[in-house]
Amino acid sequence: MSKPIVLCLGNTLFGQEAWKKLEEIAEVVTLPKGTTRDEFFQLIEDPASKFSKIEVITRTAGSAAQTGRFDQELATRLPKSMKAVCHNGAGYDQIDVKYFNDRHIQVSNTPDLVSNSTADDHVFLLLGALRNFSYGARNLLEGKWPDNGSAAGTPFGHDPEGKTVGILGLGGIGHAIVSRLKPFGFSKIIYHNRTRLAPELENGCEYVSYNELLSQSDILSINVPLNPKTVHLIDSAAFDRMKKGIVIVNTARGAIIDEAALIDALKSGKVRSAGLDVFEFEPKVSQEIMDMKQVLTLPHMGTHSVETRKKMEEFVVSNVESVITTGKVISIVPEIRNEEWFKTLI
């Protein structure tokens, strides 16, 4: 009896042992290097090709260079044998879930494994932006110390005490951020979700409306997924409702913030400083943002650690194993979780 065929898209950096074990129950195939989207379609539509019989696809964000977005066209052209797409990452905005749902193809992600690593990244950016560390580091590298005086001429930053942190999205990552922030002595941590959490899940945070979050926060911490409802959620109108001198921190997705509006807010001083790990058009980053000393930037490093990446890759394999052995992925995305066709799977 032939083994189910699994297509692995993207690089495996640390989970090789898990993939080797998977080969005991599945045949793992990869795309030839340099394959284009059109060539990918040709492979999966060729009846003589193994790719026309794949049951599970695993993917990374970087694999989009070969296949492009997992959109309606791709969902429609996948073979009838397809059961699941297992994405390596918490955010899955490269996948238009609706069209896979229409075809009863499961979509999974790695929602909880990224929380600690991303929260560490977020807190680094938050404290760095609050204290103007980027400004000081740049002045130091430019040779402006000691000629520019104390701290190489860096403007004074601020301490956490007495400041209100607003958490936009108190999910897994938001909770991990709050736990890390508490020892620093912030006066209050408030949050906004579309639906208020049960008191035992609020982690000591105070629930407020979206407008109250914007108007009360000294530091705004962005932790919501990117979807059609959150694109440019933070726009010029949102900045208008914020305190003058607010600090913005984003490790979620760049397009949640209207980058042009953020640049204007930074120029005017409405936003005093920012800590950004993600950008609206990444990997292309606005030169204006790059030139602003009050902006602390990282090149999307939220999960860029050996331990976290290894756990993510191994969990993707676990999702594949679960599909093969039980018919269901372990971590179905919320858009499909309550669909009748999914609930009735073996």
Side-chain angles (χ1 to χ4, degrees), residues 104-153:
H104 294 187
I105 296 173
Q106 301 171 64
V107 178
S108 70
N109 65 336
T110 61
D112 299 320
L113 301 178
V114 306
S115 296
N116 288 336
S117 184
T118 304
D120 292 344
D121 177 84
H122 195 99
V123 172
F124 165 81
L125 289 169
L126 189 155
L127 294 174
L130 187 64
R131 291 286 304 277
N132 291 338
F133 287 158
S134 176
Y135 206 115
R138 294 194 197 199
N139 278 3
L140 177 63
L141 292 172
E142 291 171 6
K144 294 182 178 179
W145 195 46
D147 291 350
N148 274 23
S150 175

Side-chain angles (χ1 to χ4, degrees), residues 133-286:
F133 287 158
S134 176
Y135 206 115
R138 294 194 197 199
N139 278 3
L140 177 63
L141 292 172
E142 291 171 6
K144 294 182 178 179
W145 195 46
D147 291 350
N148 274 23
S150 175
T154 303
F156 280 97
H158 293 273
D159 292 327
E161 289 83 5
K163 307 298 185 298
T164 296
V165 179
I167 306 290
L168 181 57
L170 189 60
I173 294 172
H175 272 93
I177 290 169
V178 169
S179 296
R180 284 158 172 75
L181 290 180
K182 285 182 177 180
F184 289 99
F186 290 96
S187 67
K188 184 165 62 172
I189 302 179
I190 58 179
Y191 84 97
H192 178 76
N193 285 12
R194 284 179 299 173
T195 303
R196 182 174 183 174
L197 299 173
E200 63 270 18
L201 299 177
E202 291 185 315
N203 201 10
C205 303
E206 176 188 337
Y207 178 78
V208 296
S209 70
Y210 177 60
N211 284 335
E212 288 172 329
L213 186 86
L214 297 180
S215 64
Q216 294 180 21
S217 297
D218 297 303
I219 301 120
L220 180 64
S221 164
I222 298 172
N223 309 286
V224 292
L226 180 64
N227 57 49
K229 293 182 179 179
T230 61
V231 172
H232 285 190
L233 178 63
I234 305 299
D235 57 9
S236 57
F239 286 119
D240 287 343
R241 295 196 288 272
M242 297 178 192
K243 290 182 179 180
K244 182 175 176 60
I246 192 170
V247 174
I248 304 287
V249 186
N250 187 12
T251 56
R253 286 293 186 267
I256 294 166
I257 300 177
D258 180 343
E259 209 159 87
L262 173 61
I263 290 170
D264 288 342
L266 284 160
K267 286 179 176 178
S268 71
K270 182 76 178 204
V271 174
R272 184 179 65 79
S273 60
L276 306 175
D277 186 50
V278 290
F279 305 89
E280 184 170 0
F281 305 106
E282 65 180 65
K284 181 180 179 181
V285 181
S286 163

